[in-house]
Amino acid sequence: MRALGIDYGGTHTKLLLLEGEREVARDTVDTVRLEGLADQVSSFLGDARPAAFGVTVAGTLDPVSGVVGRSANLPWLDGTAPARLLSQALGVPGVAVQDGEAAALAEARIGAGRGSDDVFVIALGTGIAGAHVSGGAVRRGAHGAAGEIGHLRVTAADHACSCGGRGCLETVIGGSQLGARWSERGGAGGTARDVVAAARAGDEAARAVLDDAARGLGRALLALSALVDPALVVVGGGVARAPEWTVEPALAHARAEATFHTLPDVAPAALGVWAGAHGAALAARDAAAARPADASSAART
Ligand SMILES: [Zn+2]
């Protein structure tokens, strides 16, 4: 089946056309409003007609109605149903999927988690996102709120978190928080990359900040192991690009503190910035397969 993945990002939109698992075409365009997106997609596709598309939403999304609650980066999406609007413009059935969920779905099924049926995907960025993918589907929980690993309390330190809480994992390892923690210890501040560079150069304050971060991530891995017991944890995002300062010492801390736990294998994310587009295409295929037989047979190529 030919499926189109649209990763509708804050500044760039990624378009990916797949035939089964084979890539037919990909392109990156500037992000524009929805009407313009339909034109961008049409010119990307040319004569190629997908059977279905998936589009990511950077924000809150009702998974049943496909209506966006709030998108901080793309405010024109608030209250709209982007998949329905694009579907009308393109004449192709489509589905919307939350962006983090799309990336997790792709990493778990065709990325680093391929071959494993029970995967927890963590994205270490400015915020910390998590998703449990079991049996090929994201487990959202009863209220769509499962997987919020960034807001596990992992430290007695009292740093305020974006969620309103204190001491969350995000406050010790969130991309912008690392620089703040370094400043508090007398460092120069800056991005996560700056903190890692300083640690590599021997800066003791930066090393202490990253040790706190790894300790926090280790506690989160232990909690994950106790509550979810995944076979594999896939870790991606900018902060994970320095695994020797983050993921590897986190695992060492988790092993040192483990009692009854069976720690999961941990692997780096494999799909990079195209994970969201792949996940959108997967969601499109899943939705097409779930449609009634008469509709889906008409949609197959
Ligand atoms: Zn929090």
Side-chain angles (χ1 to χ4, degrees), residues 27-94:
D27 197 10
T28 302
V29 294
D30 289 337
T31 289
V32 294
R33 295 176 75 100
L34 271 175
E35 315 80 69
L37 175 59
D39 292 339
Q40 287 174 329
V41 170
S42 292
S43 66
F44 167 73
L45 289 172
D47 294 332
R49 302 305 297 168
F53 73 86
V55 59
T56 66
V57 168
T60 57
L61 176 74
D62 183 324
V64 177
S65 68
V67 173
V68 177
R70 185 167 172 278
S71 175
N73 291 327
L74 305 176
W76 58 83
L77 289 181
D78 294 3
T80 68
R84 197 186 312 147
L85 295 170
L86 280 174
S87 182
Q88 285 162 359
L90 298 169
V92 174

Side-chain angles (χ1 to χ4, degrees), residues 92-108:
V92 174
V95 63
V97 56
Q98 198 265 336
D99 59 351
E101 187 174 313
L105 194 64
E107 280 295 348

Side-chain angles (χ1 to χ4, degrees), residues 15-300:
L15 305 170
L16 179 68
L17 186 61
L18 298 176
E19 180 77 54
E21 290 203 3
R22 187 177 61 84
E23 180 178 325
V24 178
R26 68 164 73 186
D27 197 10
T28 302
V29 294
D30 289 337
T31 289
V32 294
R33 295 176 75 100
L34 271 175
E35 315 80 69
L37 175 59
D39 292 339
Q40 287 174 329
V41 170
S42 292
S43 66
F44 167 73
L45 289 172
D47 294 332
R49 302 305 297 168
F53 73 86
V55 59
T56 66
V57 168
T60 57
L61 176 74
D62 183 324
V64 177
S65 68
V67 173
V68 177
R70 185 167 172 278
S71 175
N73 291 327
L74 305 176
W76 58 83
L77 289 181
D78 294 3
T80 68
R84 197 186 312 147
L85 295 170
L86 280 174
S87 182
Q88 285 162 359
L90 298 169
V92 174
V95 63
V97 56
Q98 198 265 336
D99 59 351
E101 187 174 313
L105 194 64
E107 280 295 348
R109 278 173 43 182
I110 61 169
R114 185 192 285 266
S116 181
D117 201 40
D118 193 83
V119 182
F120 198 95
V121 182
I122 303 175
L124 297 176
T126 304
I128 312 297
H132 182 208
V133 185
S134 174
V138 174
R139 301 298 163 191
R140 300 190 187 103
H143 311 95
E148 290 286 0
I149 194 167
H151 303 291
L152 281 182
R153 181 152 195 168
V154 295
T155 169
D158 219 20
H159 309 300
C161 182
S162 63
C163 73
R166 292 187 174 273
C168 298
L169 176 62
E170 191 172 303
T171 69
V172 294
I173 205 168
S176 57
Q177 298 291 306
L178 286 168
R181 298 290 86 82
W182 189 30
S183 295
E184 287 164 8
R185 288 176 177 267
T191 63
R193 194 185 297 243
D194 296 329
V195 179
V196 169
R200 282 190 178 131
D203 184 296
E204 288 300 327
R207 289 185 172 192
V209 165
L210 290 172
D211 187 53
D212 284 349
R215 203 173 290 275
L217 183 58
R219 295 223 168 104
L221 287 174
L222 272 186
L224 195 57
S225 173
L227 289 174
V228 178
D229 187 25
L232 175 70
V233 172
V234 174
V235 187
V239 176
R241 279 188 211 122
E244 73 277 28
W245 293 100
T246 53
V247 177
E248 289 165 16
L251 261 177
H253 283 302
R255 283 195 197 100
E257 292 183 23
T259 55
F260 64 91
H261 313 75
T262 306
L263 287 171
D265 291 330
V266 177
L271 298 175
V273 296
W274 284 88
H278 275 286
L282 284 174
R285 279 178 13 197
D286 290 351
R291 264 180 224 117
D294 55 333
S296 70
S297 61
R300 279 177 213 280

